[in-house]
Amino acid sequence: MRHSHAVSDNPAYIDEERPLTDNGIHLIRQTSTHIKPWPVQKILASSAIRTQQTAKHVLPTFAQVDKVDVLDELYLATVEQYVHSLKQLDADIHCAMLIGHNPGIANLIANWSGRHLSVSPCTVAVFRLPIDEWKTLKLMNSQGQTMEAFISKGQQIE
């Protein structure tokens, strides 16, 4: 998931401190209705305020998650950093959510789907990863990953 809409062009905030806008919070509520069916057990979010706030508003959607794991290395992460973070998950986690930033999130979606899609704020791509353990996860779509859903602008597209 890419974080939702954040304040921009405001000299009062450095990039990591930019909060969500009211429209961004509203978009998370719309998006959350579409992601509710997935049994997320773990949420990993970047240390930026906008991703933490996105995670805070998504958290009530998933009954099995009681907290968000905030990771400094996910702030403006590369595809490799996102995959590395997922590879650290315990084997008993079967469904996880990343909340991060473009271009890393868009590149991860492109790598796994084989398609270049527009990844606007609050976009979610849901993938089925045919792996037994997170530590075997790979960057490229060489394991038969399939995209089960693509949610953008508060609407399920696929």
Side-chain angles (χ1 to χ4, degrees):
M1 176 180 211
R2 181 180 174 196
H3 64 79
S4 198
H5 293 285
V7 171
S8 62
D9 298 327
N10 185 329
Y13 301 106
I14 61 170
D15 187 61
E16 288 178 85
E17 296 174 348
R18 293 189 301 121
L20 296 178
T21 63
D22 290 341
N23 287 340
I25 293 168
H26 177 73
L27 183 57
I28 295 167
R29 290 184 185 125
Q30 286 181 304
T31 301
S32 291
T33 64
H34 297 287
I35 60 176
K36 197 171 191 162
W38 283 277
V40 172
Q41 298 168 281
K42 178 73 82 173
I43 297 175
L44 306 176
S46 136
S47 56
I49 297 298
R50 60 193 178 274
T51 51
Q52 290 181 56
Q53 288 178 329
T54 299
K56 176 185 135 194
H57 289 285
V58 165
L59 188 62
T61 306
F62 305 112
Q64 294 182 321
V65 184
D66 58 357
K67 69 177 184 71
V68 174
D69 290 0
V70 176
L71 304 174
D72 288 335
E73 61 267 23
L74 294 184
Y75 175 64
L76 302 179
T78 63
V79 175
E80 293 82 7
Q81 289 165 308
Y82 285 121
V83 170
H84 177 76
S85 294
L86 288 171
K87 288 174 88 163
Q88 308 311 305
L89 292 175
D90 293 334
D92 63 339
I93 301 296
H94 302 289
C95 188
M97 174 181 265
L98 288 171
I99 302 177
H101 310 266
N102 269 357
I105 290 291
N107 290 336
L108 182 62
I109 292 168
N111 274 306
W112 284 350
S113 70
R115 299 164 46 199
H116 291 280
L117 301 164
S118 176
V119 180
S120 59
C122 211
T123 293
V124 178
V126 180
F127 287 91
R128 178 166 303 280
L129 306 171
I131 57 173
D132 293 325
E133 295 182 315
W134 289 101
K135 65 183 179 183
T136 64
L137 184 62
K138 294 184 180 165
L139 173 64
M140 296 304 288
N141 186 356
S142 59
Q143 296 169 294
Q145 293 94 326
T146 54
M147 189 164 64
E148 292 192 345
F150 187 76
I151 298 128
S152 184
K153 299 179 183 172
Q155 300 295 316
Q156 185 158 344
I157 309 298
E158 296 184 24

